[in-house]
Each structure stands twice: as C-alpha cells, then as structure tokens.
Amino acid sequence: MSDAGTPTQPRRTGLSRRQKRSLSRGAQYLVFAAAVAALAVTADWGRLKNQFAQWDLVKQMFPDVITLALKNTVLYTMSGFVVGLVLGMVIALMRLSSVGPYRWVAGIYIEIFRGLPALLIFVFVGVAVPLAFPGTEIPGGTYGKVALALGLVSAAYMAETIRAGIQAVPKGQMEAARSLGFSHARAMVSIVIPQAFRIVIPPLTNELVLLFKDSSLVLFLGVTLEERELTKFGRDLASQTANSTPILVAGLCYLLVTVPLGFVVRRLEAKTAEATK
C-alpha cells in the first residue's frame, strides 16, 4: 500500500511490444544479410562471369536485340492484347446475358481456356487449325497466329475481369440511363462500360504484363529469323556461342518493359483505391 492508501501498481519488467517488434525486425534483417553474405562468399563469380557476362557477346546482340527481337515481342504482345480485349468483351457480355445459351457458351469457354496451359493453345493454333481447315491460312502469317493464340488465352481472363468491372458499376447508373430514355444496349455502351473500364484498367494492365512474357511461346509455332522474339533470339545466339550471356541480355530486355508496366499497375491501383474511398 502507498502512503495515500491506494495499492501500488506492479512495476513493469521486460520489453515493450514495440521494442520486441524492433528486435524481431532487426533479427530478420540480420538473418537476411547473413544469407546474402554467405551466397556472395560461396558463389564462384569467375565462372558466372564467363558464362553470363561476356561483353563481346553483348555487343554482338545489338542493335538486333532491340530493333528485331524486342520489336517483335512488343508487336506479338499488343496484337494478342487487342484480340483478347475484343473477344473478352464479347464473352463478358455473353456471360451477363439473360439468354441462357449465351451464358453457357461463355462459361464453357472461360473454364476451358483458363484451365489449359498457354503452350497447348499455341500448339492448337499452329497444328490443329491447319489440319481442321485444310488450305486455310490465318491472316498475318506468324503474327496472326500469335495474335490469335495469345488472344484466346487472355480473353478468358479478361472476360472475367470485365464482367466483374461491369457488375461493380452501381445499378442506379443503368436505372438512371433507362429513365432518360436510353435503350439497354445504348446505356451499357455509353454509361456502364466506360465506368467499368476505369475500374478494370489496373488488372488489364497486369494482363498485358503476363502476355508480354507469354509471347515467348511463339517459338513453338516455328518462326523465321526475322520473326524471332526475345527468348528465341537469345536461345539461338546462346546455342551458337555455347554461352548464356544472350539469355541474360534477353531477360534484361523483358525487364525493361515489365518493370515500368508493373510500376504503372501499382500507380493505377493506388488511384483506383483513392477514387473509391
């Protein structure tokens, strides 16, 4: 008891929660630094340099790695994205349709093409389509085949993204448009879909990043020297030189595009989150 007659508070012993969190965080940093140091000490940097950092091979790849391989990769990606976006919009509207067969067809398409590996879709476009339709050529040659294959793969994911965006638009928007005399189709095109796209821009941009990497599957279609993308370009030169430096350079070229796109995705997601608060 204290002099005032009130019980004394027990003296605190040990560390506070904040101090414990700081110690835990410091221990994690220490373990991470120790792991990095161990890898740095045990790695054979000489062999790594010989296999992945031959400056003569790097100079040999330029400017073709940019003017040919990266250019083709971007063209394949953008064409596939456009096809996927158009087809995905159609599938999304079919999925939301009041007509049962439309919903069933859209659902089956989404489940099949989301479940199949992208490689099988490329094989299907490159082999099965010519066998099923003899004498029929896909417009655009290799570029058309890649656009179709990537479009079929991405459309299933984009359809679900767009459908979610349309359903996220408040129903009052459609009701207000109909009360002003808009038809359902006109209200959807003029009012609902533009708002839905503002919502789904971040995930669609993320899909673009995934397509950029999936474009490497074009090598399974059989391409000419002028149609090679980054992965095929790097692998061919690596096979010719028995060195992995070209593959590393090709990977860095992918990062030149995917890292800025990833930053754009994060910025768009942040802006979308602020707008919905």
Side-chain angles (χ1 to χ4, degrees), residues 109-125:
Y109 176 91
I110 290 171
E111 294 302 323
I112 290 176
F113 284 92
R114 281 200 309 181
L116 289 175
L119 173 59
L120 294 184
I121 307 302
F122 273 80
V123 173
F124 171 79
V125 171

Side-chain angles (χ1 to χ4, degrees), residues 187-262:
M188 182 68 71
V189 172
S190 302
I191 305 298
V192 177
I193 291 179
Q195 295 185 62
F197 265 95
R198 282 196 291 270
I199 297 172
V200 301
I201 282 178
L204 288 181
T205 307
N206 193 52
E207 182 64 27
L208 181 62
V209 175
L210 297 177
L211 280 181
F212 188 76
K213 295 183 292 184
D214 285 343
S215 65
S216 62
L217 297 173
V218 68
L219 61 92
F220 291 98
L221 294 178
V223 296
T224 66
L225 293 178
E226 297 300 317
E227 295 170 340
R228 292 178 297 173
E229 41 68 53
L230 283 171
T231 299
K232 175 66 173 172
F233 185 88
R235 285 185 58 182
D236 287 350
L237 193 55
S239 298
Q240 294 171 13
T241 60
N243 191 275
S244 300
T245 300
I247 295 178
L248 176 62
V249 174
L252 294 176
C253 289
Y254 277 104
L255 293 178
L256 286 176
V257 177
T258 57
V259 170
L261 279 178

Side-chain angles (χ1 to χ4, degrees), residues 24-240:
S24 175
R25 191 179 300 112
Q28 293 175 29
Y29 289 150
L30 184 61
V31 170
F32 176 76
V36 172
L39 289 175
V41 170
T42 57
D44 190 337
W45 294 103
R47 295 182 64 182
L48 287 174
K49 180 179 181 298
N50 290 334
Q51 187 65 24
F52 290 98
Q54 291 296 322
W55 183 245
D56 291 339
L57 291 180
V58 174
K59 292 189 293 184
Q60 184 181 337
M61 296 180 69
F62 286 87
D64 288 347
V65 69
I66 301 296
T67 59
L68 176 67
L70 182 57
K71 181 197 73 174
N72 283 336
T73 301
V74 172
L75 288 176
Y76 292 146
T77 302
M78 295 308 300
S79 60
F81 184 80
V82 171
V83 172
L85 184 61
V86 173
L87 184 57
M89 173 62 72
V90 174
I91 297 298
L93 293 176
M94 290 175 64
R95 191 72 186 270
L96 294 172
S97 174
S98 59
V99 181
Y102 288 170
R103 296 197 305 273
W104 303 334
V105 170
I108 292 172
Y109 176 91
I110 290 171
E111 294 302 323
I112 290 176
F113 284 92
R114 281 200 309 181
L116 289 175
L119 173 59
L120 294 184
I121 307 302
F122 273 80
V123 173
F124 171 79
V125 171
V127 178
V129 172
L131 290 176
F133 306 97
T136 301
E137 289 289 336
I138 297 176
T142 300
Y143 293 94
K145 292 178 183 178
V146 176
L148 178 60
L150 288 177
L152 290 173
V153 172
S154 61
Y157 296 94
M158 290 189 188
E160 286 294 86
T161 299
I162 295 171
R163 178 186 63 82
I166 291 174
Q167 291 180 325
V169 177
K171 293 182 179 180
Q173 298 290 320
M174 174 63 76
E175 295 171 354
R178 294 302 301 274
S179 67
L180 293 174
F182 283 64
S183 65
H184 183 275
R186 185 182 174 191
M188 182 68 71
V189 172
S190 302
I191 305 298
V192 177
I193 291 179
Q195 295 185 62
F197 265 95
R198 282 196 291 270
I199 297 172
V200 301
I201 282 178
L204 288 181
T205 307
N206 193 52
E207 182 64 27
L208 181 62
V209 175
L210 297 177
L211 280 181
F212 188 76
K213 295 183 292 184
D214 285 343
S215 65
S216 62
L217 297 173
V218 68
L219 61 92
F220 291 98
L221 294 178
V223 296
T224 66
L225 293 178
E226 297 300 317
E227 295 170 340
R228 292 178 297 173
E229 41 68 53
L230 283 171
T231 299
K232 175 66 173 172
F233 185 88
R235 285 185 58 182
D236 287 350
L237 193 55
S239 298
Q240 294 171 13

